[in-house]
Amino acid sequence: MDDTGALDVLLNEVRVFRPLPQTIIEANVNPQEVTGAYRLAQEDPLAYWEEAALELEWFRKWDRVLDSDNPPFYRWFPGGQCNIVHNALDRHIRTVNRNKLALIWEGEPGDSRKFTYFELYRAVNRFAGALRSLGVRKGDRVAVFMPLLPETLIAMLATAKIGAVHVCVFGGFSAKALSERICDSQARVVVTADGFYRNGKVINQKAIVDEALNSACADCVDTVVVVHRAGVDVDMVSARDIWYEDLVRSEAPETRTEVMEATDPLFLLHTSGTSGRAKGIVHTHGGYMVGVARTMNWIFDIKPTDIFWCTADAGWITGHSYVVYAPLLCGTTTLMYEGHPLYPQADRLWSIVARYGVTALYTTPTLIRMLMRYGSQFPRQHDISSLRMLGSVGEPLNPEAWVWFHRHIGRGECPLMDTWWQTETGMCMLSPLPVSVLKPGSVNKPLPGVEAEVVDRQGQPVPPGKGGFLVLTKPWPGMLQTLWNDPKGYAQAYWEKIPGVYVTGDVARKDEDGYFWIQGRADEVINIAGHNIGTAEIESALCVHKAVAEAAVVGVPDKIKGEVAKAFVVLSEGRELGEDLVRELKAMVRRELGPVVVLKSVAFVESLPRTKAGKILRRVLRAQELGVDPGDLSVLDEE
Ligand code: WT7
């Protein structure tokens, strides 16, 4: 990028979707209340968040809402005492939620398990007691290396209940990635499964743990708890390994919830790292709880009759916040599906929505584009009319995919919430609300109590319509506390690149109406003849062509222009490639974006390289193209 870091913005999406009158009437937070919340949050953001905190139960009220004495080490609700599990489970046992479904789980082979709040409470207590009997104490780390099972959520809540810190590692990671995270956190216990089902196959998981624990730095681990899932033969190492069922059998269904300081760590989670080394992001009990509960309630408009399905794995932040904690904090029913979304065929999601009457579906652009590629005949085979709210997160949702999702899944009626946030932010930051006017491809505006801006390298706001760095200009309750073992790194990575603000690492633009449009990652911006262009724009333009299911664009060096764009394109079902198509795609990009973008070449590929969380890994494509080192490949999904 050039000195200022300002971006050229070329794409001009003009479609607008207004909320239905019925949506406005039924919304928990109506337009007047939204306006009021923005006004309050602008005048006094701490008052806004204090109000949100008062909706939850505390063992002791905070002395201050926010301690800003030592930035960037902001402390939310200091003096306050709480435990997120008290709010997610314990308090529901005394209310009408007691016998309501907390969790619906479906395995890939089609088996299903359900837990009421009371049943989940008892299961969590048993495992919490078991962890205590293993000697786990407040502040100790417990690694959770699991497929998506009820026990995954139970292990997380049980750990938090006794004040220990969970460290989830996505169950599809390698032994190397697992041992790095165990070593970094010095976990005492690992919770895992014998194996799990994925795309019709049984994956052996325990063997990966055994391999990971061979590393010298992993001798911090004294117990491995193994959940029976897939009937895999496993080597149980005596005095170290124990079956989950044997461990909890004699435990009481009641146990004390540890009283935590609001600022005590709840979990650490290593970032998925599209860019490089995994960092241990630290989140707390108090602020995180307030942030995820409020955003869940407001964005997804939670009603007593909801069945909420966030398709993320619990091992990612999206799963932590919107599969596990926020739904339970809101007293709603959360749905978990163990397996591959296309197994045994492309209608699995719609069959699940229909059978359980899912009311809100929160998923990723990757999955939306994949399902779109299979066409609308699959959703048409099922009655998915229970859906009332849609959501997306993780990557820019290109307008064509947005419109398909809204029309074919949401009947053109369901509000579609494109939510922007990060592992570091803990909670949704930019997002529409159900009563918002929607623009496909835009993440709308910062939520009440969140302040974001688009700035140049010096931190000066760029004018509307221009692109620049997306920064957060005020602390927010769900924010990371620090990096595990690396407070200096925390300050440097996020707060010192542009003084005084949190740098997200994304580039974005703001339009005349104040709507934000994410242009991609700052380190993937392409500079063509002095014009900085975000990858998302060129990719969105390519996706306008009916033949394109998905596209990734990278910059490659060019003698004259400095850089030019190269596209990797996945074709829609039944489309053929050829010279004509390449010409059409180049013309399409020129028509949508103007002559500035030189699309040098197009390669047709079967699929794009992705992280295990589903994000396109452009650096791998670029490295391949230039014949250079692609960097850390442990995050690459081999599926
Ligand atoms: C990065 C954070 C917490 C969400 C799961 C990923 C990208 C996230 C959007 C969106 C465009 C998005 C950004 C962000 N991203 N949501 N709605 N539109 N881009 O968490 O792995 O920490 O990744 O995901 O680039 O910085 P993560």
Side-chain angles (χ1 to χ4, degrees):
M1 273 208 248
D2 68 10
D3 293 347
T4 64
L7 229 67
D8 284 286
V9 172
L10 307 165
L11 195 68
N12 189 22
E13 172 61 52
V14 293
R15 285 171 283 191
V16 163
F17 292 77
R18 293 180 187 283
L20 302 184
Q22 200 60 23
T23 307
I24 297 182
I25 292 167
E26 289 171 3
N28 292 345
V29 187
N30 66 36
Q32 292 72 30
E33 289 165 321
V34 171
T35 311
Y38 275 111
R39 193 175 314 118
L40 171 62
Q42 244 131 45
E43 282 163 10
D44 189 353
L46 299 187
Y48 173 81
W49 288 117
E50 179 157 42
E51 221 177 83
L54 288 168
E55 289 176 6
L56 295 157
E57 291 184 1
W58 297 73
F59 303 133
R60 179 185 187 278
K61 206 180 155 190
W62 47 90
D63 299 324
R64 294 149 82 183
V65 176
L66 175 66
D67 165 5
S68 303
D69 293 351
N70 181 27
F73 298 92
Y74 298 97
R75 297 166 70 242
W76 281 87
F77 307 108
Q81 291 180 329
C82 61
N83 187 310
I84 195 169
V85 180
H86 172 82
N87 280 288
L89 279 183
D90 303 1
R91 74 181 165 128
H92 295 306
I93 304 313
R94 294 182 263 111
T95 72
V96 288
N97 287 339
R98 178 184 175 96
N99 299 319
K100 178 179 174 173
L101 281 184
L103 169 65
I104 299 173
W105 172 87
E106 180 163 296
E108 195 184 75
D111 47 339
S112 172
R113 292 164 66 193
K114 292 177 181 168
F115 292 74
T116 63
Y117 271 90
F118 182 61
E119 289 165 337
L120 189 64
Y121 168 79
R122 287 168 61 98
V124 166
N125 286 343
R126 284 211 163 86
F127 193 53
L131 287 173
R132 278 204 179 109
S133 67
L134 292 173
V136 178
R137 296 287 170 261
K138 193 174 188 166
D140 289 347
R141 273 79 57 209
V142 173
V144 179
F145 182 60
M146 288 280 279
L148 200 55
L149 299 178
E151 285 77 12
T152 314
L153 177 148
I154 291 168
M156 291 165 74
L157 294 170
T159 303
K161 176 149 188 153
I162 65 167
V165 177
H166 56 74
V167 187
C168 289
V169 180
F170 172 62
F173 268 128
S174 65
K176 180 166 167 282
L178 174 61
S179 78
E180 271 169 19
R181 287 158 176 75
I182 290 173
C183 295
D184 184 44
S185 60
Q186 290 294 294
R188 295 189 53 181
V189 174
V190 180
V191 185
T192 191
D194 57 347
F196 58 92
Y197 298 92
R198 185 77 186 170
N199 218 358
K201 292 193 281 284
V202 171
I203 312 288
N204 189 341
Q205 191 166 29
K206 170 65 163 55
I208 297 175
V209 176
D210 294 338
E211 192 188 330
L213 295 187
N214 281 336
S215 304
C217 66
D219 53 355
C220 49
V221 173
D222 36 51
T223 312
V224 177
V225 181
V226 190
V227 177
H228 275 113
R229 167 60 186 143
V232 179
D233 269 340
V234 301
D235 293 329
M236 295 295 277
V237 176
S238 67
R240 188 196 74 183
D241 300 355
I242 180 162
W243 290 104
Y244 178 91
E245 295 78 2
D246 294 337
L247 186 63
V248 297
R249 191 166 295 125
S250 56
E251 291 295 334
E254 287 289 340
T255 192
R256 180 173 51 83
T257 299
E258 198 72 38
V259 174
M260 305 300 287
E261 297 301 318
T263 51
D264 278 340
L266 166 63
F267 64 83
L268 53 130
L269 182 62
H270 294 84
T271 45
S272 49
T274 26
S275 37
R277 198 183 69 87
K279 304 189 276 259
I281 307 296
V282 181
H283 283 290
T284 60
H285 273 260
Y288 175 81
M289 162 176 95
V290 172
V292 297
R294 167 52 62 101
T295 49
M296 173 97 188
N297 251 324
W298 282 45
I299 297 169
F300 292 104
D301 195 39
I302 296 304
K303 313 273 192 217
T305 47
D306 276 329
I307 307 278
F308 185 82
W309 185 16
C310 166
T311 61
D313 189 277
W316 309 121
I317 190 68
T318 314
H320 281 55
S321 299
Y322 298 101
V323 174
V324 177
Y325 286 111
L328 299 180
L329 287 168
C330 296
T332 193
T333 305
T334 186
L335 189 141
M336 287 164 74
Y337 165 59
E338 172 192 38
H340 192 283
L342 301 182
Y343 182 85
Q345 53 180 29
D347 72 337
R348 183 61 181 261
L349 251 63
W350 318 127
S351 136
I352 292 175
V353 168
R355 279 182 289 115
Y356 299 104
V358 172
T359 56
L361 178 67
Y362 188 27
T363 189
T364 62
T366 291
L367 193 52
I368 295 166
R369 287 189 292 257
M370 187 150 94
L371 294 163
M372 183 178 167
R373 205 179 159 193
Y374 286 91
S376 57
Q377 72 271 21
F378 286 103
R380 273 206 303 270
Q381 288 165 11
H382 299 272
D383 178 5
I384 56 169
S385 61
S386 56
L387 285 173
R388 184 174 83 66
M389 292 293 311
L390 300 176
S392 172
V393 62
E395 287 186 288
L397 180 59
N398 55 294
E400 298 319 304
W402 193 104
V403 169
W404 182 85
F405 193 41
H406 186 250
R407 179 178 305 154
H408 293 283
I409 308 307
R411 311 179 296 283
E413 293 173 0
C414 303
L416 198 178
M417 307 290 101
D418 184 351
T419 63
W420 180 94
W421 57 295
Q422 309 178 299
T423 305
E424 292 85 342
T425 69
M427 62 186 227
C428 295
M429 300 294 285
L430 286 88
S431 170
L433 294 169
V435 299
S436 304
V437 174
L438 305 174
K439 301 188 185 188
S442 165
V443 295
N444 221 270
K445 299 181 182 182
L447 289 165
V450 173
E451 298 289 334
E453 195 46 270
V454 178
V455 302
D456 64 18
R457 230 177 257 295
Q458 277 68 48
Q460 293 308 311
V462 300
K466 270 279 177 191
F469 300 102
L470 177 65
V471 298
L472 304 169
T473 57
K474 285 222 169 75
W476 63 98
M479 69 193 298
L480 72 164
Q481 185 97 337
T482 185
L483 294 181
W484 187 251
N485 284 335
D486 189 13
K488 266 213 192 76
Y490 161 66
Q492 274 163 4
Y494 302 104
W495 294 93
E496 285 169 9
K497 291 184 176 147
I498 301 174
V501 296
Y502 171 95
V503 175
T504 67
D506 284 4
V507 285
R509 77 173 154 108
K510 204 158 98 174
D511 69 17
E512 264 78 26
D513 302 325
Y515 280 53
F516 286 69
W517 302 71
I518 307 296
Q519 311 286 87
R521 296 289 300 170
D523 52 14
E524 293 174 339
V525 164
I526 302 173
N527 187 306
I528 305 177
H531 298 276
N532 289 317
I533 297 156
T535 49
E537 289 213 315
I538 314 178
E539 291 161 3
S540 289
L542 285 161
C543 287
V544 174
H545 197 291
K546 287 276 176 288
V548 178
E550 196 163 35
V553 172
V554 302
V556 292
D558 181 86
K559 281 211 191 69
I560 297 159
K561 306 270 179 187
E563 248 182 342
V564 288
K566 161 142 198 183
F568 295 81
V569 166
V570 179
L571 290 178
S572 308
E573 288 285 291
R575 291 293 178 143
E576 309 242 320
L577 44 116
E579 274 310 300
D580 282 357
L581 184 53
V582 173
R583 225 171 298 124
E584 280 172 33
L585 292 178
K586 287 185 179 176
M588 178 70 97
V589 168
R590 204 171 315 120
R591 191 168 72 231
E592 295 284 316
L593 304 179
V596 169
V597 180
V598 184
L599 182 59
K600 184 68 176 244
S601 58
V602 181
F604 295 98
V605 291
E606 267 302 301
S607 62
L608 298 171
R610 299 186 177 288
T611 66
K612 289 178 192 287
K615 282 188 213 287
I616 299 172
L617 260 175
R618 292 176 192 79
R619 71 176 154 90
V620 171
L621 293 169
R622 189 157 191 277
Q624 223 167 32
E625 197 57 32
L626 306 181
V628 298
D629 175 23
D632 179 15
L633 289 183
S634 69
V635 295
L636 184 70
D637 182 13
E638 285 100 28
E639 250 180 39

